[in-house]
Amino acid sequence: MSFLVDSVIMFTSQVLFFGFGWLFFMRRLFKDYEVRQYIVQVVFSVTFAFSCTMFELIIFEILGVLSSTSRYFHWKVNLYVILLVLIFVVPFYIGYFVVSNIRLLQRQKLLFACVVWFTFMYFFWKLGDPFPILSPKHGILSIEQLISRVGVIGVTLMALLSGFGAVNCPYTYMSYFLRNVTDSDILALERRLLQTMDMIVSKKKRIAMTRRMMYQRGDDQNKQTGFWGVIKSVTSSPPGSENLSLIQQEVDALEELSRQLFLETVDLHATKERIEYSKTFQGKYFNFLGYFFSIYCVWKTFMATINIVFDRVGKTDPVTRGIEITVNYLGIQFDVKFWSQHISFILVGIIIITSIRGLLITLTKFFYAISSSKSSNVIVLVLAQIMGMYFVSSVLLMRMSMPLEYRTIVTEVLGELQFSFYHRWFDVIFLVSALSSILFLYLAHKQAPEKHMTL
Amino acid sequence: MASLDRVKVLVLGDSGVGKSSLVHLLCQNQVLGNPSWTVGCSVDVRVHDYKEGTPEEKTYYIELWDVGGTVGSGSSVKSTRAVFYNSVNGIILVHDLTNKKSSQNLYRWSLEALNKDSSPTGVIVTNGDYDREQFADNQIPLLVIGTKLDQIPENKRSDVLTRTAFLAEDFNAEEINLDCTTPRYLAAGSSNAVKLSRFFDKVIEKRYFTRDGSQMPGFSERKRYGAGNSKSLHYD
């Protein structure tokens, strides 16, 4: 009886998550495009719904809501569905839509989509070889095989995003890094842009006029029939044509220049807006946060290095350690069980919410930057794939942040994975990503004022 | 050669509707082989015979400024784009017949361009809502072009064309529906070519002939274009 009630609760929450994913898709992601293939929207919302259900189950685990057998059952069901979607459904549709865009393969869409899917499965399977993620007692078709590979991809993604975010966040928030841009700089650059456009226009006028004269002369020439007319038209080339290709080359170079000037102007406008924003109250608040974040990021990078160098993986989670410290060193006595449950609930909740929000915002920005009306379907499905893998591996990694009694459910459901490997892998990729982001941002920052100074 | 007079016409529309293909077709009479992203603005020039076939025939350059981007871009991109909207003599609004959103976005595009134009009757708008009065007051000739006509199946065509007719009416403009990969839609003598030619003539007239204060040629012809004409003698 209680199982039925629990199932109803789970189902309702899944429907809610599905609705939220649907709305997000329509209002934010696809607001400039028309949804023609509804299957894309459905697949995206389903992935989102099942990922969120996993997080919900963790929260229920901590709070002790619903009976533990039904929780376990729903975990298993959820996991199977999500793996099914991430490994079978989404890649197949990605292959299908990519193939639909290519004109040559229109005839045998399904066939080629299956071919693409098999290639994907092959590489997916091969992914497990270089990593020590499995112990030999697992069978070939067990769920651990699939989860371990999904976990590797997801953890890599998480670490890359976290590394970049850890460096980019203080860079964006702090106004120390803002270059000084005045209105006259912007005006000078705009004037240069318009001058370049005028030069392009005048050259194109010459091309157009020359072409027109050639066309009109060509009409006269075409009237000459007969043997001599043909010889004449072959030997005498119109005088304008050699000039044309020269002018066209100049036009191409100028157009490239105009594109660069345009992008620089956009950059200057953006910087000016940021400067103005930093003078407001909100801007100052974020600037302050930026300093805190930079300290946090430095600490995280430091911890990652320590973990790698000293080859250790954190044994206890932050909540228990924090409580230990307060009880042992500060001598404050309180009900450990009660507080550890609530604090870990809050901590895990914050982690979940910020990671979902951060991921959705990043995905949206990415989508706006690279999508076009042809490829929007493919890109959304790729984003759904990334999102699913990201969420699955966050569950994996979150295990470390939870006290021992809540970890068991994750260990039980996901099987005997080498969890310590994933943490090590996360640290390595995080470090690599953070360092390369620092390098990248440093180069970009250095390059910009030099270009600015040549104006 | 370069001493011919010129007019500037903007080509606006969402990303991917086919503005670059259209401009290429109009200026080079050829289909664009490999369309790619337009970054910033790309210009092309068309040589147009004003009042072709009459004694007052004169050749003008028509500059077609194809401005790339989406209407929902960040404000830094919008501020940069505004640089191209100065002293515009005509606007061609391009939308994709297979994508309704691109038609709806045309209202926002036209507001963006018209509000940035340095005309003294520029209306200050705080939101992007459509206001019919602004378009009635508008001095700049508009033309609405729908692309990708070949991708609409035959049975849906009449619905789509009804919708676009309403759209063109809202803008107080003529409309042309075509496919940029088939030059025959704009073949000489076809009704589309006539509409295009009339639009360019109107743009040239607004730019050059009202300044002189001389009698507007072909007055009876212009009555068809709507109520805005009685105000066009007043041009700053």
Side-chain angles (χ1 to χ4, degrees), chain A residues 284-325:
Chain A
K284 291 205 172 89
Y285 168 69
F286 277 113
N287 188 27
F288 189 62
L289 272 189
Y291 281 110
F292 264 124
F293 269 126
S294 49
I295 298 178
Y296 170 72
C297 297
V298 167
W299 181 75
K300 261 211 98 150
T301 322
F302 185 63
M303 288 309 291
T305 326
I306 296 268
N307 281 342
I308 296 176
V309 167
F310 289 118
D311 194 29
R312 71 172 192 120
V313 182
K315 293 284 182 211
T316 52
D317 59 295
V319 178
T320 320
R321 289 210 79 201
I323 292 181
E324 270 174 22
I325 294 178

Side-chain angles (χ1 to χ4, degrees), chain A residues 46 62 104 190 230 239 299 302:
Chain A
V46 162
I62 296 180
L104 289 172
E190 281 179 356
V230 172
W299 181 75
F302 185 63

Side-chain angles (χ1 to χ4, degrees), chain A residues 33-34 197 204 212 273, chain B residues 43 49 75 80 83 100-101:
Chain A
Y33 301 106
E34 206 170 270
M197 299 306 295
K204 289 220 162 163
R212 189 175 144 106
E273 276 167 23
Chain B
V43 194
D49 291 319
S75 53
T80 318
V83 146
K100 274 196 213 132
K101 293 243 176 86

Side-chain angles (χ1 to χ4, degrees), chain B residues 43-54:
Chain B
V43 194
D44 216 341
V45 172
R46 178 179 161 110
V47 181
H48 179 71
D49 291 319
Y50 173 63
K51 293 237 165 290
E52 193 165 5
T54 67

Side-chain angles (χ1 to χ4, degrees), chain A residues 30-34 190 193-194 197 201 204-205 208-209 211-212 259 262 265-266 269-270 273 371-372, chain B residues 1 4 28 37 39-41 43-44 47 49 61 63 75-77 79-80 83-84 98-101:
Chain A
F30 250 48
K31 63 174 176 150
D32 281 333
Y33 301 106
E34 206 170 270
E190 281 179 356
L193 178 61
L194 284 178
M197 299 306 295
V201 168
K204 289 220 162 163
K205 283 176 185 168
M209 197 40 116
R211 268 231 193 87
R212 189 175 144 106
R259 279 193 276 272
F262 180 80
T265 318
V266 171
H269 272 288
E273 276 167 23
S371 77
S372 71
Chain B
M1 264 191 269
L4 288 183
Q28 322 240 354
W37 288 97
V39 175
C41 173
V43 194
D44 216 341
V47 181
D49 291 319
Y61 283 124
E63 298 169 14
S75 53
S76 54
V77 178
S79 326
T80 318
V83 146
F84 302 125
T98 60
N99 183 353
K100 274 196 213 132
K101 293 243 176 86

Side-chain angles (χ1 to χ4, degrees), chain B residues 144-164:
Chain B
V144 176
I145 295 189
T147 55
K148 306 194 187 165
L149 183 63
D150 55 322
Q151 289 178 23
I152 309 253
E154 289 288 344
N155 50 351
K156 298 251 178 66
R157 255 183 217 193
S158 55
D159 295 332
V160 170
L161 292 179
T162 325
R163 175 167 63 83
T164 57

